[in-house]
């Protein structure tokens, strides 16, 4: 589905499928894990995930497919540094570093005519993470929040012109948004081998992208040869 990669597309008659689906989940909790021996206060830890899909006919000439997955994770990073307020004292603590992600993928197939199939597919992805940048010598003031979002909309139209010629048109729009924001904007202070405190030097960073791609391929057979253009 991307330029530079091979593509194999299997076409079946939309509307001929039966309703089917599945759901699954998994999880892990701090009650099932060993405590960290380096710290006294043990923050909660967990990892939970849920996913599933469903597919079936919309009509005699249309079908749908829907897939979704989400995950939530609560982890921690360990700070082991000197205390900036008292260099004779050592800091040893856990800092929460939660993250989550969700992925949603709907698809609809339409048989517009006997030899014409239209496919509409969307892929939605979002992830967030807080507490990034903290750990070892980096104190909690170094925390930042990282987000990433992507939405990919794809349209495909396949026309069987005759028994020797197939034409395919693909249109794709990708909307990408990513960013990082520091929790504190005070100047960063680094003492090599001791600690890093103050605000995260990354500050606020954002990236916005919109990519549009158009492809039209025809595949023809001539005797023992296959022509693609």
């Amino acid at each position: 589905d991307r330029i530079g990669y091979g593509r194999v597309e299997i076409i079946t008659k939309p509307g001929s499928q039966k309703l089917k689906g599945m759901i699954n989940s998994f999880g892990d909790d701090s009650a099932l894990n060993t405590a960290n021996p380096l710290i006294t206060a043990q923050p909660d830890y967990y990892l939970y995930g849920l996913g599933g899909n469903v597919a079936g006919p919309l009509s005699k000439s249309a079908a749908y497919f829907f897939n979704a997955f989400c995950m939530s994770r609560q982890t921690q990073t360990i700070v082991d540094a000197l205390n900036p307020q008292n260099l004779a004292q050592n800091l040893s603590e856990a800092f929460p570093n939660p993250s989550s992600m969700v992925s949603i993928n709907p698809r609809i197939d339409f048989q517009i005519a006997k030899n014409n199939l239209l496919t509409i597919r969307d892929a939605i992805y979002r992830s967030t993470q807080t507490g990034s940048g903290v750990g070892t010598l980096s104190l909690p003031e170094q925390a930042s929040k990282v987000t990433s979002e992507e939405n990919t909309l794809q349209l495909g139209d396949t026309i069987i012109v005759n028994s020797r010629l197939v034409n395919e048109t693909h249109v794709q729009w990708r909307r990408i948004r990513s960013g990082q924001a520091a929790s504190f904007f005070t100047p960063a202070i680094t003492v090599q081998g001791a600690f890093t405190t103050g605000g995260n030097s990354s500050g606020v960073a954002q990236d916005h992208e919109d990519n549009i791609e158009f492809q039209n391929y025809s595949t023809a057979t001539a005797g023992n040869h296959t022509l693609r253009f």
Side-chain angles (χ1 to χ4, degrees), residues 60 113 150 157 223:
K60 292 183 178 180
E150 182 172 344
D157 185 34

Short mmCIF file of all heavy atoms in Angstrom, two decimals, residues 60 113 150 157 223:
data_model
loop_
_atom_site.label_atom_id
_atom_site.label_comp_id
_atom_site.label_asym_id
_atom_site.label_seq_id
_atom_site.Cartn_x
_atom_site.Cartn_y
_atom_site.Cartn_z
N LYS A 60 -26.36 -6.66 -1.17
CA LYS A 60 -25.93 -7.70 -2.09
C LYS A 60 -24.69 -7.31 -2.87
O LYS A 60 -24.04 -8.17 -3.48
CB LYS A 60 -27.07 -8.03 -3.07
CG LYS A 60 -28.27 -8.70 -2.40
CD LYS A 60 -29.32 -9.05 -3.43
CE LYS A 60 -30.51 -9.76 -2.77
NZ LYS A 60 -31.56 -10.12 -3.75
N ALA A 113 -20.41 -1.85 -10.51
CA ALA A 113 -20.92 -2.56 -11.70
C ALA A 113 -20.33 -3.95 -11.70
O ALA A 113 -19.54 -4.31 -10.82
CB ALA A 113 -20.57 -1.80 -12.97
N GLU A 150 -2.20 10.06 13.37
CA GLU A 150 -2.12 9.84 11.93
C GLU A 150 -3.47 9.33 11.43
O GLU A 150 -4.07 8.45 12.03
CB GLU A 150 -1.02 8.85 11.57
CG GLU A 150 -0.89 8.63 10.07
CD GLU A 150 0.32 7.78 9.67
OE1 GLU A 150 1.22 7.61 10.53
OE2 GLU A 150 0.35 7.31 8.53
N ASP A 157 -10.12 2.08 -6.91
CA ASP A 157 -11.13 1.73 -7.91
C ASP A 157 -10.51 0.77 -8.90
O ASP A 157 -9.51 1.10 -9.56
CB ASP A 157 -11.62 3.00 -8.62
CG ASP A 157 -12.77 2.70 -9.58
OD1 ASP A 157 -13.58 1.81 -9.26
OD2 ASP A 157 -12.85 3.35 -10.64
N GLY A 223 -0.18 -12.67 -24.92
CA GLY A 223 0.51 -13.94 -25.09
C GLY A 223 1.14 -14.38 -23.79
O GLY A 223 0.48 -14.51 -22.76
#
